């Protein structure tokens, strides 16, 4: 499976594409950052992010998109921008019919380092090792995007089974009760 | 001027189009709500909101889009959804080159009722009076969207002058210093 990971942000939106299956060596297909100028209007910055994500989707044709789930424990202003950038990433993927998965930062850290409280350096080191890169991808947002994609590939068997069950449940027709005497 | 006001939300996104200029009677062009099912994936809900906003832009061709500025004082979960829905509204407008303005809830309330702390009923009553409607638009999100559009029309002279100044400032070429002796 080929997964695009997106670490959303208005100033730097990390993007990374990883290919592979759980239990086998993984391969990095591409990594980068979509940047927007801090002095531009938010609306224009969202247009630039949309354009950037669209280019990555066009070029690398992922089958899944994994986006970091945004929490608001942090700085309020930053969180708004992150939520807005993540909305654009989700929109671009869903518009193409690609399944979108959200993973929390601690799920991602736990997946690649074994600890949900690992720091940036540890995540970067493990991404480098798992994808057999020469050096940790810079900036950290790019490494985080790859970590998200890896997390999704490794969690996929469980997640996909749940999604399939949910979809099957939705497909099950609701039994229609026909009142006695009407037929 | 014709303004589309958007009161962003994942479940109900209020939309209202108002036409007029400050100091003259205003006219309501249209009002409605873009709804998305609460049990759908966030990504799919954002696609539905995009489709809804696009339809309003296509049908009513506003020259400006006014979106409620999202704060995070309220419920964290709700704020994330609101931020994401507002991102889609801003994106749709900016993608078409329409100017996007953000107004805070208290700016809107102050504009239409004279008090930044007015309640929903008061806003609804003033919207009804200002647009000469038979009854307050329902749900409240629809009335809020109209209030946003009215607020933008009334604040526009000041806001637009500021935007023009900022644009002119950006256009001013930075003086290039040519070191002595190079020409």
């Amino acid at each position: 499976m080929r997964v695009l990971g997106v670490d959303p942000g208005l100033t730097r939106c990390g993007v990374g594409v990883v290919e592979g299956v759980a239990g086998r060596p993984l391969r990095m297909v591409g990594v980068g950052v979509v940047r927007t100028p801090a002095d531009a209007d938010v609306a224009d910055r969202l247009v630039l992010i949309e354009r950037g994500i669209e280019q990555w989707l066009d070029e690398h044709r992922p089958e899944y998109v994994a986006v970091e789930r945004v929490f608001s424990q942090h700085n309020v202003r930053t969180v708004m921008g992150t939520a807005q950038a993540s909305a654009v990433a989700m929109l671009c993927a869903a518009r193409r019919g690609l399944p979108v998965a959200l993973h929390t930062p601690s799920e991602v850290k736990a997946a690649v380092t074994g600890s949900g409280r690992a720091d940036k350096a540890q995540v970067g080191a493990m991404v480098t090792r798992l994808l057999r890169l020469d050096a940790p991808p810079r900036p950290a947002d790019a490494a985080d995007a790859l970590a998200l994609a890896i997390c999704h590939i490794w969690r996929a068997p469980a997640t996909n089974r749940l999604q399939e069950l949910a979809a099957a449940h939705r497909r099950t027709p609701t039994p229609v009760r026909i009142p006695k005497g009407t037929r």
Side-chain angles (χ1 to χ4, degrees), chain A:
Chain A
M1 59 194 283
R2 181 177 276 212
V3 180
L4 169 67
V6 180
D7 182 28
L10 270 187
T11 305
R12 285 185 308 276
C13 199
V15 279
V17 181
V18 178
E19 201 172 57
V21 290
R24 298 268 187 85
L26 302 167
R27 186 175 77 86
M28 182 180 83
V29 178
V31 67
V33 178
V34 176
R35 293 172 196 272
T36 77
D39 60 347
D41 277 350
V42 175
D44 294 329
R45 300 177 78 179
L46 296 174
V47 174
L48 293 173
I49 290 171
E50 180 185 46
R51 241 177 254 166
I53 301 279
E54 284 292 331
Q55 277 175 5
W56 276 81
L57 292 172
D58 280 343
E59 190 168 339
H60 296 294
R61 302 274 160 196
E63 298 149 289
Y64 298 88
V65 175
V67 182
E68 190 177 289
R69 189 185 289 278
V70 183
F71 284 110
S72 72
Q73 286 110 335
H74 327 281
N75 179 298
V76 168
R77 217 188 142 82
T78 315
V79 163
M80 285 297 136
T82 311
Q84 291 165 335
S86 79
V88 173
M90 285 191 269
L91 177 68
C92 292
R95 213 160 43 187
R96 295 183 179 222
L98 296 176
V100 178
L102 303 174
H103 300 289
T104 66
S106 51
E107 282 168 353
V108 175
K109 288 173 188 172
V112 301
T113 74
S115 161
R117 286 178 295 173
D119 62 14
K120 290 264 174 206
Q122 216 179 326
V123 171
M126 282 309 293
V127 165
T128 312
R129 188 173 307 169
L130 293 166
L131 298 174
R132 286 150 296 137
L133 308 175
D134 296 332
R138 301 265 174 234
D141 314 76
D144 285 348
L146 291 171
L148 261 156
I150 296 171
C151 169
H152 186 71
I153 292 172
W154 286 354
R155 288 171 62 100
T159 314
N160 292 353
R161 206 165 309 136
L162 279 175
Q163 288 190 335
E164 278 163 21
L165 282 172
H169 179 74
R170 283 197 296 269
R171 276 195 305 271
T172 310
T174 314
V176 179
R177 285 169 182 263
I178 300 169
K180 278 182 190 169
T182 57
R183 54 180 283 187

